[in-house]
Amino acid sequence: MKTLVIGNEDRYRKYMPADIPFVRQTELIFCPRGSSDEELLAAARDADYIAADPMTQVSGAVIRSMPNLKMIHSEGVGFNGFDLAAARERGIYVCNCKGVNAGAVAEQTILLILALLRNAVVGDRVEREGGQIRMKERMMFEGIREVSDCTVGLVGFGDIAKATAERLIPFGCNLVYTASHKKDAETEQRYHVTYLPLSELIAQSDIVSLHVPVTDETRGMVNAEFLGRMKKDAFLINTARGDLVDNQALRQALIDGTIQGAGLDTIYPEPTLADNPLVDLPAQCVDRVIYSPHIGGITTSSFRRSHRMIWQGFADCESGKRPHNIVNGL
């Protein structure tokens, strides 16, 4: 029995749960993220299982060329690069670690919200430069909004959005959400949220936070029209996927002052380079954007949970049980 791991070997070995017997029973074959189809097949054509970094590609050509393959498991929540149709055709499960990093990403979302409202990055820089009083006077004049003064709009209401709502409740802000279907009254009461159609949420929110997966319908959804409906003093938060945002549209909105600013944990494409239009900004809007290097979901606890989920999923499949979190419709 063989398992192909596409990703960082050191990370996989660090978080591998030794108490799951499957881990000791399988032969591990490691290939780095970015390996070609030819390299993957040369290393592990006869593998039974694939564990893959969520940012990697598992093509239909690879899936169709591995006769023993039973299951592909994402190391995280994402699976955009996996050919779900090819796997479904062959009866191969594709699974993800749904919900495993919800709390971690929610924390990152709130970090970005607070950092934008308090102008934290600029304040840190100016303090280091000896301009404390100047910065304090500026912020007293311009004003500082508390989270409790804001309407926070959650675009999507899955695991991460719910975890974000839970953590925002104590701040006392007004929480609204939009989703493909309105939730039941009990759910809305539990998370202190009110449903709004997307267009109304955009127009009413002081903070618009993205929490939807990338699909044909959502890719590039944050376009010029979306941004044009936002308040001029509103902030956009993206801890979901960079593909949701039209980079040029957001860049222009920041330059024109269509919105106040943005907090971005993820930018398309990855890796983010210095010449990305959302990074290489004109001086007048540089300080209105705060970045983090796509670290929202990569806490130590999240990795421990996700790797346990991966190896237990393989063990279940090997013993004939139906695995959890199947994403390709089998």
Side-chain angles (χ1 to χ4, degrees), residues 140-179:
M140 285 193 293
F141 173 75
E142 292 179 354
I144 300 172
R145 278 181 287 175
E146 298 179 16
V147 181
S148 61
D149 297 326
C150 298
T151 292
V152 179
L154 304 171
V155 180
F157 204 63
D159 294 319
I160 294 172
K162 289 175 181 175
T164 301
E166 282 183 320
R167 287 155 176 78
L168 283 170
I169 290 168
F171 285 94
C173 55
N174 180 37
L175 286 167
V176 297
Y177 78 99
T178 192

